[in-house]
Amino acid sequence: QVQLVESGGGLVQSGGSLSLSCAASGRISSINDMGWYRQAPGKERELVALINSERSTTYGDSVKGRFTISRDNAKNTVYLQMNSLKTEDTAVYYCNADVWSSTSIRFRNYWGQGTQVTVSS
């Protein structure tokens, strides 16, 4: 079984920075795309940032220029550096990854449990 475990959420003032990390564990053979999504109360889950196995990145329009996604393939870990945070960045942030486990015959999509990020004014 594959698990994604996020860490690093918390409370920060507007204009501040936070860093999130997500480590994948289990019988992992390969990981393709890794990414971060977020969901604010009353809103749909939205893409924050995505990074593929070759480290090509995609960002949601609202975070471009402020957030940076990166990954460490040796550690099966994806990171999200969030700078110049705004109150509208307040949400639960979820890690997501396409993982080929040693017990699977294809890539499967996994979600982390989510970590709360709260930006105060």
Side-chain angles (χ1 to χ4, degrees), residues 101-118:
S101 75
S102 61
T103 59
S104 177
I105 58 172
R106 60 179 176 88
F107 282 98
R108 291 182 182 274
N109 191 255
Y110 293 88
W111 290 93
Q113 80 284 358
T115 185
Q116 177 70 45
V117 171
T118 302

Side-chain angles (χ1 to χ4, degrees), residues 10 43 50 53 58 97 118 120:
K43 295 188 177 181
L50 198 65
S53 57
T58 301
T118 302
S120 64

Side-chain angles (χ1 to χ4, degrees), residues 30-119:
S30 178
I31 302 178
N32 194 5
D33 290 352
M34 302 185 81
W36 292 92
Y37 292 75
R38 67 186 183 187
Q39 187 165 20
K43 295 188 177 181
E44 293 187 352
R45 191 171 296 190
E46 64 174 357
L47 172 70
V48 176
L50 198 65
I51 184 167
N52 67 15
S53 57
E54 296 179 353
R55 294 184 171 84
S56 177
T57 59
T58 301
Y59 292 94
D61 288 341
S62 62
V63 306
K64 285 179 181 176
R66 299 187 297 122
F67 291 10
T68 302
I69 189 171
S70 61
R71 65 190 284 173
D72 184 331
N73 290 335
K75 296 181 178 180
N76 292 328
T77 299
V78 63
Y79 306 95
L80 185 68
Q81 178 63 41
M82 304 182 291
N83 297 329
S84 302
L85 283 160
K86 305 175 181 180
T87 55
E88 50 263 45
D89 294 318
T90 296
V92 177
Y93 284 69
Y94 296 92
C95 177
N96 181 269
D98 290 328
V99 181
W100 192 307
S101 75
S102 61
T103 59
S104 177
I105 58 172
R106 60 179 176 88
F107 282 98
R108 291 182 182 274
N109 191 255
Y110 293 88
W111 290 93
Q113 80 284 358
T115 185
Q116 177 70 45
V117 171
T118 302
V119 184

